Amino acid sequence: LDEFVGQRHLLAPGRPLSAALAGQLGSLVRWGPPGSGKTTLAYLLAEQSGAACHVMSAVSEGVPELKRVVDEARRARERGQRTMLVVDEVHRWSKTQQAALLPHVEDGTLVLCGLTTENPFFDLIAPLRSRLRILRLEPLAREDLRTIVLHALADGERGLGLPREALADEALDALVDIAGGDARIALNALEAAAILARQDGGAISAEHVFTAVQRRQVRYDQRGDDHYQTISAFIKSVRGDDPDAGIFWLAKMLEAGEDPRFVARRLVILASEDVGNADPQALLVATAAAEAVERVGMPEAMFALGQATLYLAMAPKSNAVKDAYGAARAAIERGASLEVPLHLRNASFGGARALGYGAGYAYSHEFDPEDPARYHQRYLPEDVPEGAFYHPRDAGYEAEHARRLKRLRELRAKARGLAP
């Protein structure tokens, strides 16, 4: 345990795992990216507690194997020994399999240590989640990775057994950069680079590292937590007028193999939700980018997506469209009348006039735009207040909407003999 590197927010005195390591064992789920130490910590916790430890993979094992472990755990419990069940990739178990595990966690037969790279709030059933502590492991910091690499370099029993000068400083930096917080990537790259350096008869260089790895691995899962977190960062960056951050998160997604159509759809939504009428051109740009993705495909479609990202990030912003629709929907939910007023109803069929459909309708093009009579007509149900929904922002082109709407509302008030 003294050799474990990283995750100080969990292991420091008074932190969540310090009590467990002191013998107060309880069921938990460790959630974090690959290479952050989830499995290592599970073994250390079992060893420290003295519990019997069984390891299962949710990918290849299910309820039959669980029943076998439960039987052994009951016998161990009779001997006064607790049993820890480590389930790797626990999020891959179905709801039925998780439900089969639940009673044994609940009655204490098993202490569950679930390991997952995916958000357990999405993938674990609520009854099981409520009986666990969920601990989030973070990608390893640069200094943590440096420490791990140097330990592996020097350790003669479990590592390479080489002196510090056998690894150039530039190579160490390259290993840390390539790893992206994943110790497993760093160690595999170190081992492969050491083989190349041995063939060349010199120290491990940055060139050896890049040759061994070829390309940095981008940690990403198109259906997992990182997918949702990255698209969230992308949208918030563009919404927040930061083109550099927008293009950075776009590059991460596309380089990791994200579906470009997914990104295009999000840009189209953002163009209306966050830019709106402050720049009506934004929706055309985003829609054109989405069409370019379909017509051109990757990798060339990255340019269209990049153009749309930068355009939307630089565009003036207004969420008045979103607010207007939300306010109209809320009025309907509160019980506003949904009946179309008689004068607005379709009167193009026989018998419509006898029903009063279209009676009193004033064709707006027959009036001068500044004639108050043009605005006497009401278009909303009587119980729905006018001017309740659309409130243009003083941003970009929408500022012109605000000016025009103010004048229209003045004319309507004048036409009905009301004070503006």
Side-chain angles (χ1 to χ4, degrees), residues 95-351:
K95 292 182 179 180
T96 302
Q97 289 170 313
Q98 292 180 39
L101 176 62
L102 178 62
H104 309 299
V105 173
E106 192 170 27
D107 67 13
T109 301
L110 295 174
V111 176
L112 174 64
C113 181
L115 310 177
T116 178
T117 56
E118 304 300 334
N119 191 331
F121 291 97
F122 295 151
D123 296 304
L124 296 187
I125 60 174
L128 183 59
R129 229 177 32 239
S130 68
R131 289 160 176 81
L132 305 168
R133 283 188 303 163
I134 296 176
L135 303 180
R136 167 71 179 175
L137 277 70
E138 300 297 335
L140 292 172
R142 292 181 61 84
E143 282 307 309
D144 293 333
L145 286 169
R146 290 175 67 89
T147 300
I148 290 171
V149 168
L150 291 175
H151 280 175
L153 179 75
D155 192 311
E157 181 182 348
R158 297 168 298 177
L160 299 177
L162 296 174
R164 173 65 184 85
E165 55 269 22
L167 178 66
D169 290 341
E170 295 81 4
L172 177 58
D173 291 337
L175 287 167
V176 171
D177 290 339
I178 287 169
D182 186 331
R184 193 175 294 114
I185 291 176
L187 293 173
N188 288 339
L190 172 65
E191 187 172 20
I195 293 173
L196 294 175
R198 191 177 304 123
Q199 294 171 352
D200 291 343
I204 302 170
S205 67
E207 184 179 352
H208 289 134
V209 173
F210 292 129
T211 301
V213 177
Q214 297 296 321
R215 183 179 181 188
R216 180 182 178 186
Q217 300 296 308
V218 179
R219 177 173 53 84
Y220 196 79
D221 186 331
Q222 292 185 36
R223 295 179 298 277
D225 186 59
D226 209 51
H227 160 87
Y228 295 105
Q229 304 308 339
T230 305
I231 194 63
S232 175
F234 174 68
I235 294 298
K236 289 171 181 172
S237 298
V238 176
R239 179 187 294 147
D241 308 322
D242 192 330
D244 294 310
I247 205 75
F248 176 82
W249 297 120
L250 173 68
K252 174 188 174 180
M253 290 187 288
L254 296 183
E255 291 301 306
E258 179 60 83
D259 184 349
R261 294 171 297 180
F262 166 73
V263 179
R265 287 194 297 271
R266 295 303 307 176
L267 285 170
V268 171
I269 294 167
L270 186 146
S272 287
E273 180 182 357
D274 294 302
V275 178
N277 288 324
D279 184 351
Q281 186 76 11
L283 181 57
L284 300 180
V285 171
T287 304
E291 184 176 349
V293 168
E294 297 293 343
R295 288 180 176 235
V296 176
M298 291 294 288
E300 290 82 359
M302 71 175 72
F303 301 121
L305 292 173
Q307 179 182 351
T309 296
L310 295 174
Y311 187 95
L312 267 59
M314 294 302 297
K317 304 298 190 296
S318 171
N319 65 348
V321 173
K322 174 184 174 183
D323 286 354
Y325 187 87
R329 181 171 57 189
I332 291 171
E333 292 174 350
R334 288 194 301 268
S337 173
L338 301 179
E339 291 300 317
V340 177
L342 287 175
H343 66 284
L344 298 180
R345 295 188 183 186
N346 174 29
S348 63
F349 62 93

